Amino acid sequence: TKTIGGANRTIVCLGLNPEIQGSATGGGNSVGLKTQTLPITLLFSTPLKNVRNERTAEALPNGTEFPLTWKQPESLIISFDTP
């Protein structure tokens, strides 16, 4: 929960933890990075208000179900008024 503009907001992030490989001579790079775009639906048990996709600045409708598109190499970030 974070206070933004005087309102308490909850921030939810969805991300993928890529596999990292290294060796004695260096490395530490991600391997087989996923690049797909997937349809996902976030479900919440209580209705959310003033929902916003923080990556696209899109205002989403109030509710409990949010169909979204997730680009796997990026984090999907939404925020909403803290209930």
Side-chain angles (χ1 to χ4, degrees):
T1 303
K2 181 167 180 71
T3 302
I4 301 171
N8 285 331
R9 307 272 300 160
T10 298
I11 300 169
V12 174
C13 299
L14 173 66
L16 181 67
N17 190 11
E19 178 183 351
I20 305 293
Q21 287 186 348
S23 70
T25 59
N29 297 318
S30 60
V31 177
L33 190 62
K34 306 283 187 202
T35 59
Q36 296 173 310
T37 299
L38 302 174
I40 66 159
T41 300
L42 299 179
L43 300 172
F44 295 86
S45 59
T46 58
L48 305 180
K49 294 181 180 177
N50 297 316
V51 184
R52 175 184 167 108
N53 181 330
E54 293 294 339
R55 289 195 65 93
T56 65
E58 175 187 7
L60 303 173
N62 296 341
T64 58
E65 188 172 322
F66 301 91
L68 299 163
T69 302
W70 174 38
K71 296 177 183 177
Q72 284 187 304
E74 300 176 0
S75 293
L76 185 134
I77 305 169
I78 67 165
S79 69
F80 50 87
D81 289 348
T82 301

